[in-house]
Amino acid sequence: VRTRVLSIDPLDPDPAVVSAAASTLRAGGLVAFPTETVYGLGANATDAAAVARVFTAKGRPSRNPLIVHVADEADARALASSWPPAAAALAARLWPGPLTLVAQDAGRVASAVTAGGDTVALRVPAHPVALALLRACALPIAAPSANRSSHVSPTRGEHVRADLEGRVDLILDAGPTPGGIESTVLDVTVDPPRILRPGLVTPAAIAAVLHRAPSSLASDGGPSPSRQPGALRSPGLLSRHYAPRARLILAGGDAPRLAAELRRAGSRVGLVTAGTAAARLPGVETTSLPLEPAAYARGLYAALRELDGRGVDIVVVETPPEGEAWMAVHDRLRRASASGGVE
Ligand code: TXA
Ligand code: MG
């Protein structure tokens, strides 16, 4: 496939570019586009052949279901066979935004989208380009993050090119995505709803809408009653889903010292510090992220990709602070540092 790359203004998308992308989707093509979290790899969710191409382009296991992006809550409801009060309340307050709701599937999208299961993941993205595209094509768009399977999600157009050039028809490059890590995935088929993947929307924000205690939404990480035989309940919960190529070590103690030691032992070492200005360690590729959760999340994947690009074998990450605002960041760092695991 020859991949076209079109630049587009993130705040004021050119209708001609949006319309070209919508035509590509309607014709069964693949379009990578920005969302407020990370870039997505989009296909018409009702076109089984187009959806199959998404799995092939990413190298994604077919048992891992995709998030369906829609323009508004009404379009989401149309794809769900039931829409509980919690879903309506959350959609009214938190959409458009980085919250994905898992509801009972109405059977309108291609079965590969749900990995053959009986639930469908739905979200209304807050990025102007994503919304313009959804309105222009008037289709539900199935879109996983636009990276090769098990790579770090892309937060810039060039990340998408690096992973998917020659595998997708069109990339809409709107520059860096504002969120930096993925949406929160919340199962609303159970009561109380259950967080399947932490993300940019915090448990406190969800709990406030539902008048519940944040702890009641917690994913216990253990087995859950699965209504998707053969499918993973939320495969994003598996380890090593967000990994850079280099081995990642989350350093509880003195990260710069660990980096220096590994360097002396002969490894090519990268270091990601939080808040502290990166001290010059000879031979260690160092990047500093801000000590503020939103800004840290925004820069994290780009920092990991950059260090990968500089050819390091090991990335030492200084552990960020604890606390709910840092929960999603910790979740991604934990997965990226997990040794082994599936996808
Ligand atoms: O922010 C995001 O969510 C980005 C942007 C592009 O929207 N998308 C994204 O998609 O991260 P992906 O495919 O990389 O991750 C989707 C997650 C996976 O963990 C998948 O297992 C889970 O959502 N998921 C999808 N459908 C599901 C379902 N029916 N039930 C449970 N989990 C589901
Ligand atoms: Mg992904």
Side-chain angles (χ1 to χ4, degrees), residues 12-31:
D12 183 21
D14 179 348
V17 174
V18 171
S19 156
S23 304
T24 301
L25 286 170
R26 275 195 298 265
L30 301 189
V31 176

Side-chain angles (χ1 to χ4, degrees), residues 37 60 64-65 67 69 119 121 123 144-145 182-183 197 233 235-236:
T37 60
R60 183 172 176 117
N64 194 355
I67 295 173
H69 298 67
T119 61
R123 97 174 182 97
S145 51
E182 302 84 351
S183 64
R197 178 178 73 180
R233 187 69 184 130

Side-chain angles (χ1 to χ4, degrees), residues 244-291:
R245 199 189 53 224
R247 190 171 140 228
L248 189 147
I249 298 176
L250 203 45
D254 187 342
R257 203 175 82 197
L258 177 59
E261 276 167 16
L262 290 165
R263 169 71 195 146
R264 275 195 300 275
S267 295
R268 298 162 65 119
V269 182
L271 171 64
V272 179
T273 61
T276 50
R280 288 272 135 246
L281 292 172
V284 176
E285 303 281 352
T286 304
T287 296
S288 182
L289 291 171
L291 197 60

Side-chain angles (χ1 to χ4, degrees), residues 58 60 145 147 153 182 197 241-242:
K58 277 196 63 130
R60 183 172 176 117
S145 51
N147 50 284
S153 292
E182 302 84 351
R197 178 178 73 180
H241 193 79
Y242 301 92

